[in-house]
Amino acid sequence: MLHALRTQWLRVVVHIGAWIPFAVIVWDALTNQLGAEPIRETILRTGKTALILLVLSLACTPANTLFGFKSALKVRRALGLYAFFYALAHATMFIGVDYGFDLALLQGALLERPYALVGAAAFLILLPLALTSTKGWMKRLGRRWTMLHRGVYLAALLVIAHFVWLVKLDVREPLTYGAIVLLLLALRIRLIREGVVRLRAL
Amino acid sequence: MEKIPASEITPEHLYFTRRQFIAAASAVAAGALLSACGVPSPPPTARPTIAQPSPQASKGVDELGDKLTPFDTITNYNNFYEFSLDKEDVAPRAKDFKTSPWTVQVGGLVNKPRTFGLEDLLKFEQEERIYRLRCVEAWSMVIPWLGFPLSKLLAQVEPQSKAKYVRFETLLDPKQMPGQRDSYFDWPYVEGLRLDEAMHDLTILATGLYGKPLPPQDGAPIRLVVPWKYGFKSIKSIVKIDLVEAMPISFWMESAPNEYGFYANVNPDVSHPRWSQATERRIGEFSRRKTILFNGYADQVAPLYAGMDLRKNF
Ligand code: HEM
């Protein structure tokens, strides 16, 4: 009973929490609080939210393997899907709203700019992961599902590159996210993982 | 919206005369180049500054017919890292910035080095200049500045023939400018112009906008405005101006040499290595608009760069 309550509690937090940034954007848009450049502001906020949710989804497995926090596994998929939806909103705002699907302009603004290309590459990796995130696909793909979904680390690293590349001067924030992603990646390496588990057992 | 009294509006014929004059003056300036200390000053078409209680401008549009950006937007969306990295956080953080007393030390390769008090600078006849401001981040505004041509100030100190560049420096005062406590950046902010760019009639030292003294967040009490270059060239809160022989290394050149060059002329065909410069968003508009070469001032300034490869000299 207590156990069930705990898992449900985390789920509720994740589902409510993930909608908050969206609700705030809508609220700020309706009340004219997105600032002088509302479109850019929306792009920045959805991008940042996508990244944070992606990092949280990456933290779920280590939270279980290292700390025995099982319920984290139950929200991993939801976190990943929310990350994808924010990334979708982010890319749509850029391509559809900011650039109005103007292919001639997008050629220069997206295809010729490394920061945008790596962002797009990250998105193209996240897309099939989102589509195959169901139990059905998990069964159908078996071991290959695991292999495929390790791609999320590549996507995360590409997003970090995207972020580092687009800031004007101060790379401290993107590098902080980069360090977190690298740490989470390191924790999945068996030797390091077992080392940490052993240390905790001491 | 504030109603503009009829007497405040510059008659159209005067306006056109002034534009034509500017074109002529820039041709002269381009020709005269380094010996340009004696460039004629433009006729006094605009009225002197009187600090107005409410935002005032002589017209509602620039010479291309584009609407002025509202005062509130100009004063609440600022790139001024000395106060904050967040454009909307600059105004609140800068609100207690002390701009008096204030002096600007003008020296280097000049015959008559001099320290100007703000009072001295306000004695130069203040005129209104409605300019587009294009930020390297691909947004833009239209701003009615008040100020005077930099050439008038330089004429008073008499640059020597060895002087090839002008170097500008922002106040260094970490107590008042919290951003300067962050040693990640190379303070103080430094910018530079080639002497002929500095002598160009479009280049002004601004002391106000919309008929009011400059608010701190916009670079009070005195800043540079070079409308055909990306906004970061228009250095704010200036305390020092030196005439020098070698090209000054600006804050941005120092920070990221492959991304920011000395010239930083607005140019839709020369992308920043990270992002495209082909389009921009005029603040307040929904759709992007095409960026124009030299921010629309090509007629006046293109001769300054005749024969230069604008891609190499970005
Ligand atoms: C087609 C794909 C993508 C495009 C075209 C794109 C484009 C952009 C653009 C234009 C910006 C803002 C640049 C600026 O105005 O300064 C941006 C920022 C950002 N993007 Fe993306 N992006 C894409 C995919 C992604 C993905 C998949 C993620 C994360 C999962 C992401 C995360 C971010 C982050 C974190 C920022 C910075 C936000 C900030 O500075 O606060 N992007 N992206």
Side-chain angles (χ1 to χ4, degrees), chain B residues 79-101:
Chain B
N79 266 322
F80 202 166
Y81 282 12
E82 281 81 346
F83 291 104
S84 172
L85 298 183
D86 174 351
K87 289 187 269 293
E88 283 163 7
D89 194 33
V90 172
R93 287 203 189 211
K95 87 180 169 337
D96 298 323
F97 184 56
K98 261 189 64 188
T99 54
S100 124

Side-chain angles (χ1 to χ4, degrees), chain A residues 33-41 94 97-99 102 105 108-109 112-116 163-172, chain B residues 73 77 79 81 85 87-88 136-139 182 184-185 251-252 255 259-260 271-276 279 281 283-284 286 288 290:
Chain A
Q33 293 186 76
L34 285 175
E37 277 195 283
I39 298 174
R40 170 175 274 158
E41 179 67 16
F94 180 76
V97 181
D98 199 350
Y99 279 90
D102 186 326
L105 288 183
E112 289 169 14
R113 306 266 62 91
Y115 91 88
F163 198 176
V164 170
W165 239 326
L166 68 86
V167 297
K168 222 163 116 195
L169 184 53
D170 187 354
V171 290
R172 285 171 293 187
Chain B
T73 310
Y77 198 68
N79 266 322
Y81 282 12
L85 298 183
K87 289 187 269 293
E88 283 163 7
V136 74
E137 297 167 350
W139 52 266
D182 185 346
Y184 186 80
F185 304 101
F251 175 90
W252 285 99
S255 311
E259 294 179 34
Y260 299 94
S271 288
H272 182 278
R274 298 177 191 226
W275 49 76
S276 161
T279 61
R281 174 162 285 103
I283 299 293
F286 184 78
R288 288 179 165 268
K290 293 226 147 75

